[in-house]
Amino acid sequence: MNTKQNKAVNFLLNNMVPIMFVIICAILLPLSGFSPGYLLNEIITRMGRNTFLVLCLLFPIMSGMGLNFGMTLGAMAAEIAIIFVADWQIWGIPGIVLAMIMSIPISILLGWFCGTVMNMAMGREMITGYIMNFFMGGGIYLLVVLYMMGPVIPIIHSSIKLPRGYGIRNTVSLLNMRQALDDLLAVRIGGVKIPVLTFLLIGLLCLFIVWFRRTKLGQDMRAVGQDMNVARDAGIKVERTRVISIIMSTVFAGFGMVIYLQNMGNLPTYTAHSQIGMFCIAALLVGGASVDRASIGNAFLGVTLFHLMFIAAPAAGTAIIGDSMIGEYFRVFASYGVITLALIMYEMKKHRNKSQMGQMLAQAQREEGGAS
């Protein structure tokens, strides 16, 4: 009986966040008044838009680096690539492919820098990545986009430049690229649009992750994630492996950001990347992932539950108190709250594991002393 109770308690502790969000969605959805067809259409659209970005977080977790707030650097690389594509007026699928290709070298450079810095702050990777967001987004990215594009980096079309003649406008229209990827091979079933090609790309990334985990590099990452000292003793280049995991995460985040922006149809130049990392991490955690454990299933479940709440919260707020803004506040609160809860649970788990290890060691010493 105790074993069953322990299993039940462990299940609840390990799945506290998704259970909580299932309850929240069960309360909000009836209050929102949305039809099942509308909700299904919205969820499929948002899954196509966001899942690729969420999946890129799995690589650093695999190597024990926790939740990669530095994925935003890949989003910035994609935004810079999109600006060039918009300036050259290359639209549709060719523009999307070109933006992805152009984002790769920028993402690799930024990922290498991010991984190198994180190696200098071992054990504090998440807060380092979070602060790096502000440094790169509020510093280097603004310097390039707001001041260098025009006088230093040639920009041809005045339609995307600020009236002063340099710097990029607050919003860059991607109307000629809007949903080009989503509409190609798209099918409609009962009024629900399914972006087949987008989901094929997501499926390819899932297959790549499954395959990659079985490769030598993937096994090295998992070994580093389990115990860096043991991995180092086994001849694995720990620092190099950690940097590669961050670079992979950043490159795939760049691809995911291009998919995201083509779906939206516009680029908010200075704000598009600001909340991407926060919301993707929150979605992964909502799916049942933790700081040191995450799977593809967690990503899909998290995107579904998190965006169900996003869709239903404003309408439910309007139905309850007549103000949709309460739903907006709740969404932001839930995003930060779920990350905070995950970090608290991670620290509690580490403390509990250390306590259990100490008890086992003490028991072994007592048994050894009794035998002697």
Side-chain angles (χ1 to χ4, degrees):
M1 188 67 180
N2 288 334
T3 305
K4 290 182 178 180
Q5 288 177 346
N6 288 335
K7 286 183 178 179
V9 170
N10 288 332
F11 176 81
L12 289 173
L13 288 175
N14 293 332
N15 297 279
M16 183 186 301
V17 176
I19 291 171
M20 180 179 67
F21 268 78
V22 167
I23 295 170
I24 290 171
C25 290
I27 295 170
L28 293 181
L29 288 176
L31 292 172
S32 69
F34 292 132
S35 67
Y38 173 82
L39 290 172
L40 182 60
N41 196 53
E42 283 292 309
I43 284 298
I44 289 176
T45 300
R46 289 166 185 258
M47 285 186 72
R49 182 193 304 163
N50 295 283
T51 305
F52 204 101
L53 280 165
V54 177
L55 287 169
C56 79
L57 293 166
L58 299 184
F59 296 100
I61 293 175
M62 193 188 308
S63 60
M65 300 182 75
L67 302 166
N68 181 24
F69 287 93
M71 66 168 286
T72 308
L73 276 63
M76 294 178 199
E79 289 168 17
I80 291 172
I82 285 282
I83 290 171
F84 284 122
V85 169
D87 186 44
W88 299 336
Q89 299 288 289
I90 303 173
W91 301 116
I93 297 296
I96 292 170
V97 173
L98 180 60
M100 287 182 174
I101 293 171
M102 289 183 63
S103 72
I104 293 173
I106 307 172
S107 295
I108 290 174
L109 178 63
L110 294 176
W112 171 82
F113 172 73
C114 181
T116 303
V117 172
M118 286 183 177
N119 276 339
M120 299 177 185
M122 284 190 180
R124 297 291 183 270
E125 291 90 353
M126 285 185 288
I127 187 62
T128 302
Y130 189 67
I131 296 301
M132 199 173 298
N133 280 345
F134 292 103
F135 167 67
M136 296 300 295
I140 305 300
Y141 178 80
L142 283 182
L143 176 65
V144 172
V145 175
L146 193 56
Y147 294 102
M148 293 180 67
M149 285 190 169
V152 179
I153 302 171
I155 298 295
I156 301 169
H157 284 269
S158 59
S159 61
I160 69 171
K161 287 193 290 189
L162 290 168
R164 66 187 183 186
Y166 63 91
I168 304 302
R169 291 180 182 271
N170 290 341
T171 304
V172 175
S173 174
L174 304 177
L175 192 61
N176 294 323
M177 188 188 287
R178 185 172 185 268
Q179 297 190 10
L181 189 67
D182 298 336
D183 290 339
L184 191 64
L185 304 181
V187 297
R188 289 188 176 273
I189 301 175
V192 177
K193 176 185 171 183
I194 302 176
V196 175
L197 184 56
T198 305
F199 279 109
L200 280 176
L201 291 178
I202 294 170
L204 285 174
L205 178 56
C206 293
L207 289 175
F208 175 79
I209 292 170
V210 172
W211 169 80
F212 180 76
R213 283 175 172 163
R214 299 174 182 174
T215 64
K216 173 65 167 61
L217 181 56
Q219 294 290 344
D220 288 351
M221 284 187 185
R222 294 169 70 178
V224 170
Q226 290 172 2
D227 194 312
M228 282 191 294
N229 294 325
V230 172
R232 190 176 282 110
D233 292 340
I236 298 172
K237 295 179 180 179
V238 172
E239 287 75 12
R240 175 178 171 273
T241 303
R242 284 160 55 92
V243 170
I244 291 173
S245 72
I246 291 294
I247 290 175
M248 292 180 68
S249 179
T250 308
V251 169
F252 283 118
F255 294 166
M257 193 64 180
V258 174
I259 294 172
Y260 177 90
L261 291 173
Q262 66 83 34
N263 177 272
M264 298 299 291
N266 65 79
L267 166 62
T269 308
Y270 303 103
T271 60
H273 57 269
S274 59
Q275 295 295 327
I276 283 293
M278 186 69 66
F279 287 154
C280 288
I281 287 170
L284 186 63
L285 294 172
V286 166
S290 66
V291 175
D292 58 351
R293 179 186 56 83
S295 67
I296 294 170
N298 295 143
F300 280 93
L301 178 61
V303 170
T304 302
L305 290 176
F306 194 63
H307 284 281
L308 270 176
M309 184 203 69
F310 258 51
I311 296 163
T318 303
I320 296 170
I321 63 171
D323 186 0
S324 63
M325 284 306 296
I326 190 66
E328 297 290 338
Y329 299 144
F330 180 73
R331 295 196 304 192
V332 175
F333 166 77
S335 302
Y336 285 93
V338 72
I339 294 173
T340 304
L341 180 60
L343 295 177
I344 291 171
M345 290 173 63
Y346 175 66
E347 290 299 325
M348 289 174 61
K349 182 180 177 182
K350 281 206 308 185
H351 180 75
R352 187 168 63 249
N353 289 342
K354 285 182 180 179
S355 177
Q356 289 175 352
M357 288 293 292
Q359 291 174 3
M360 290 171 62
L361 181 60
Q363 179 67 25
Q365 290 175 343
R366 283 196 297 268
E367 290 176 356
E368 185 179 343
S372 63

